[in-house]
Amino acid sequence: MYYQDIIAKNLIFNCSPTLLGAKPGNIFTLRNIKDSKLTPLVNYWKKILNPQMDLRVIKKTEDLILIFVYRVEFLHKVIESEESKCFLLENGYSCKNLNCVFNTLTYKLKNSDFPHEIGVLLGYPIEDVKEFISQKGKNYMACGNWKVYGNLKDAQEKFNQYESCRSTLKSLVDGGISLERIVLLIKGDCYEKNCNCLLVGNRQH
């Protein structure tokens, strides 16, 4: 069932670190999806994820849709840090709230080159995002969920954590637990707490 639901499939395979609270946001791309199919799916999963999480269509063309899935409070904390505020301001985000950030991001995705500062919103280390932009994506030390220019050890730990999230979520769904129930179990903002909830929920089924 879930692998036929294109949004659910992406939530499991591409957004599990966000669902489990290890990451403020993830993005995924859909192609050649008609509005008549997309709109009810978006509305359905927004209802399931809210209020702790949400998803937004941030880019839409005739053949491509880009969707941002995020944890509301986690992303608030990201954009409220002084370092992030300064960096985002330098890149055209004169924003005090998430709606403004998303409006600016959507505008830039529609009217300019790809805004690589989005990496900060996805939870990537800001020094790596800055260097990626400065180095034009070259001269990195390692490449995983993002290109690493700074702390390689911390980055690898994050890569492993994100992969663990994906494996855990897929295993639970493959084991017969509905994604809706999983989401109900993981609506806290702590990665360790969410993993414990999932293990308890799995033992009950």
Side-chain angles (χ1 to χ4, degrees), residues 64-185:
L64 179 146
I65 298 159
L66 190 62
I67 295 180
F68 196 113
V69 177
Y70 63 100
R71 283 191 162 267
V72 178
E73 289 303 317
F74 198 164
L75 193 53
H76 267 298
K77 291 177 182 177
V78 170
I79 69 168
E80 283 299 309
S81 76
E82 287 303 316
E83 190 174 23
S84 294
K85 280 183 182 179
C86 291
F87 176 69
L88 291 172
L89 184 61
E90 290 170 359
N91 284 275
Y93 296 76
S94 302
C95 296
K96 295 183 178 180
N97 57 62
L98 284 179
N99 278 332
C100 177
V101 168
F102 278 116
N103 288 340
T104 303
L105 179 63
T106 301
Y107 176 84
K108 294 181 78 167
L109 283 164
K110 184 177 181 180
N111 295 283
S112 62
D113 294 335
F114 190 85
H116 293 294
E117 66 274 5
I118 194 175
V120 171
L121 307 180
L122 297 172
Y124 304 161
I126 195 166
E127 62 269 24
D128 287 344
V129 178
K130 289 179 177 179
E131 282 300 309
F132 178 90
I133 295 171
S134 173
Q135 300 284 343
K136 301 186 185 302
K138 300 177 182 179
N139 305 317
Y140 51 89
M141 291 189 293
C143 182
N145 293 82
W146 68 87
K147 289 184 176 178
V148 182
Y149 294 86
N151 192 318
L152 184 57
K153 181 180 178 182
D154 284 355
Q156 190 58 60
E157 288 177 357
K158 285 291 185 182
F159 296 163
N160 293 339
Q161 185 185 50
Y162 298 164
E163 185 56 40
S164 176
C165 289
R166 295 184 189 97
S167 297
T168 298
L169 208 56
K170 182 178 183 300
S171 294
L172 289 167
V173 172
D174 287 345
I177 302 178
S178 73
L179 186 56
E180 288 90 343
R181 175 162 177 76
I182 293 170
V183 170
L184 287 175
L185 288 169

Side-chain angles (χ1 to χ4, degrees), residues 1-5 44 180:
M1 172 185 176
Y2 289 106
Y3 297 156
Q4 280 74 53
D5 178 338
Y44 175 75
E180 288 90 343

Side-chain angles (χ1 to χ4, degrees), residues 6-32:
I6 192 64
I7 289 184
K9 181 178 180 180
N10 277 279
L11 290 174
I12 295 165
F13 286 95
N14 296 319
C15 303
S16 51
T18 294
L19 296 186
L20 284 174
K23 205 167 179 284
N26 280 102
I27 55 175
F28 62 87
T29 300
L30 302 178
R31 294 186 182 276
N32 302 312

